[in-house]
């Protein structure tokens, strides 16, 4: 595994001739200073693997990963760093499985036997020997390498561009009052569902209507603490862009999972600040051209616990646009 990882994709993982898309997670914990992972045994296939499954209709990859872990092993999780995607042939064609790390110290309940009949916490070496599908070792090795490098335990800082708004040309009132378009309102519900995969405890947002409306469904569903700051608006950022950089420096120093909702013209300052907190290889993966993020799109920066303020992985997820 490289010193830092990135994953940029759409809500369904894109095309590339993939017949089946799936997602799952490598649940991990540390016991007696040893990294342990959670394996499942499926009686239907008589195999040892990771909790995973196919996307439901309209579901995003992160949502699928969280749901499958809950269904197969009964554990609620929050996603950590993205792990390597694996591909292998199945009857319909090529299957692509996206994986995330997920820290948990809980012992799962006894499986119901419908899909999984046994779960097992074990150290990496034993897991490597038990896994039935050789390709399942790839995310395991990446997980172990991240642990050895002190980059496995992270918290998320999520940058959200507000959802699609009514056109400026069709709005004659104050710019701060310009609302979301019909598509934007649907994107806001997507944002709510997707943010649940990381479940940030705090939301910081521009006070303009289109940002407040984008983040409202998540704030209501999660009861996250919401803070409105005028420096994230287009107008105040234009006056003093350094205030936005200082805000992100403070958020990175605090170490609290957070989502930040802002506007397209503010994003260059945000991304430049984030780049200062990661190595050059990862910074090269940041979106470099305008508009940087599509309406409703989010950039998830995974921040190291062992090295406070250091971003070690990135991923981006786009909303649908109908």
């Amino acid at each position: 595994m490289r010193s830092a990882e990135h994953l940029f994709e759409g809500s369904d993982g894109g095309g590339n001739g993939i017949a089946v898309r799936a997602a799952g997670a490598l649940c991990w914990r540390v016991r007696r200073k040893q990294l342990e992972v959670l394996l499942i045994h499926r009686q239907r296939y008589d195999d040892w693997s990771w909790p995973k499954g196919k996307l439901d209709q309209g579901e995003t990859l992160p949502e699928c990963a969280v749901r499958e872990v809950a269904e197969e092993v009964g554990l609620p999780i929050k996603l950590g760093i993205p792990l390597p995607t694996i591909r292998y042939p199945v009857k319909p064609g090529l299957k692509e499985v996206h994986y995330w790390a997920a820290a948990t110290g809980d012992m799962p309940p006894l499986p119901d036997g419908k899909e999984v009949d046994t779960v097992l916490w074990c150290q990496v070496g034993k897991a490597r020997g038990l896994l039935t599908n050789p390709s399942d070792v790839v995310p395991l090795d990446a997980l172990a390498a991240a642990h050895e490098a002190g980059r496995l335990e992270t918290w998320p800082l999520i940058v959200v561009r507000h959802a699609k708004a009514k056109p400026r040309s069709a709005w004659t009132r104050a710019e701060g009052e310009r609302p979301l378009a019909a598509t934007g309102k649907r994107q806001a519900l997507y944002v709510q569902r997707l943010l649940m995969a990381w479940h940030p405890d705090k939301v910081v947002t521009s006070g303009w209507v289109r940002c407040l409306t984008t983040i409202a469904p998540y704030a209501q569903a999660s009861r996250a603490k919401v803070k409105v700051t005028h420096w994230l608006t287009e107008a105040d950022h234009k006056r003093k862009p350094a205030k936005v950089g200082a805000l992100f420096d403070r958020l990175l120093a605090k170490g609290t999972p957070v989502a930040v909702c802002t506007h397209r013209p503010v994003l260059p300052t945000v991304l430049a600040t984030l780049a200062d907190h990661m190595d050059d290889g990862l910074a090269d993966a940041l979106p470099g051209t305008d508009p940087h993020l599509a309406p409703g799109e989010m950039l998830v920066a995974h921040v190291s616990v062992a090295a406070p303020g250091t971003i070690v992985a990135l991923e981006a997820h786009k909303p649908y646009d109908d």
Side-chain angles (χ1 to χ4, degrees):
M1 182 178 178
R2 302 191 305 275
S3 60
E5 294 294 336
H6 66 273
L7 169 68
F8 285 85
E9 62 189 19
S11 61
D12 66 355
N16 302 320
I18 304 301
V20 179
R21 292 185 180 85
L26 275 63
C27 298
W28 65 273
R29 68 184 186 183
V30 175
R31 287 290 184 271
R32 293 182 288 277
K33 299 183 179 181
Q34 294 294 318
L35 178 66
E36 295 183 346
V37 291
L38 185 66
L39 293 181
I40 63 169
H41 183 267
R42 301 180 299 174
Q43 64 271 32
R44 178 182 176 185
Y45 302 101
D46 190 22
D47 68 350
W48 287 96
S49 62
W50 310 116
K52 65 179 183 300
K54 293 184 290 186
L55 272 68
D56 285 345
Q57 182 68 31
E59 190 176 42
T60 64
L61 290 163
E63 287 178 274
C64 178
V66 172
R67 176 182 57 77
E68 285 292 337
V69 173
E71 290 179 356
E72 294 193 340
V73 300
L75 289 178
I77 61 168
K78 300 177 184 179
L79 298 183
I81 61 171
L83 298 171
T85 298
I86 65 171
R87 297 178 180 88
Y88 53 90
V90 292
K91 284 185 178 180
L94 194 62
K95 184 173 183 177
E96 180 178 78
V97 187
H98 294 251
Y99 284 110
W100 281 263
T104 177
D106 296 331
M107 189 65 191
L110 293 175
D112 60 16
K114 293 179 180 178
E115 293 186 64
V116 177
D117 61 354
T118 306
V119 295
L120 176 67
W121 280 107
C122 60
Q123 293 182 14
V124 172
K126 182 174 181 180
R128 191 177 287 113
L130 285 173
L131 286 167
T132 304
N133 186 344
S135 61
D136 279 347
V137 175
V138 175
L140 175 63
D141 287 344
L143 185 90
H147 175 66
E148 289 298 319
R151 294 174 176 265
L152 182 54
E153 188 177 3
T154 59
W155 60 270
L157 188 158
I158 306 170
V159 180
V160 183
R161 180 183 169 186
H162 68 73
K164 191 172 184 178
K166 287 190 174 182
R168 294 179 193 266
S169 60
W171 187 252
T172 58
R173 295 166 57 183
E175 180 63 16
E177 297 176 5
R178 183 156 58 95
L180 295 183
T183 292
K185 292 176 182 178
R186 289 188 285 272
Q187 288 175 341
L189 297 176
Y190 159 91
V191 168
Q192 178 258 313
R193 289 175 19 221
L194 189 52
L195 281 175
M196 286 294 189
W198 297 277
H199 214 290
D201 306 312
K202 183 177 181 180
V203 173
V204 180
T205 180
S206 157
W208 286 8
V209 167
R210 51 193 182 272
C211 280
L212 294 173
T213 311
T214 296
I215 214 70
Y218 174 74
Q220 293 166 2
S222 67
R223 298 189 178 182
K225 182 179 178 181
V226 178
K227 181 178 180 180
V228 176
T229 175
H230 61 88
W231 295 118
L232 289 170
T233 66
E234 292 184 29
D236 284 284
H237 167 261
K238 187 174 181 179
R239 289 194 303 112
K240 292 187 177 181
K243 292 289 187 178
V244 171
L247 168 65
F248 274 82
D249 284 336
R250 290 195 300 272
L251 293 175
L252 284 160
K254 284 185 178 180
T256 300
V258 60
V260 184
C261 189
T262 190
H263 308 261
R264 179 189 58 79
V266 184
L267 292 176
T269 300
V270 173
L271 298 176
T273 305
L274 296 182
D276 290 338
H277 291 266
M278 62 184 76
D279 66 32
D280 291 343
L282 193 58
D284 288 343
L286 287 167
T289 57
D290 187 56
H292 303 289
L293 297 175
E297 186 175 6
M298 61 183 65
L299 175 71
V300 184
H302 296 272
V303 189
S304 172
V305 171
T310 301
I311 298 168
V312 297
L314 294 170
E315 56 186 304
H317 298 275
K318 294 180 180 179
Y320 71 89
D321 189 1
D322 61 359

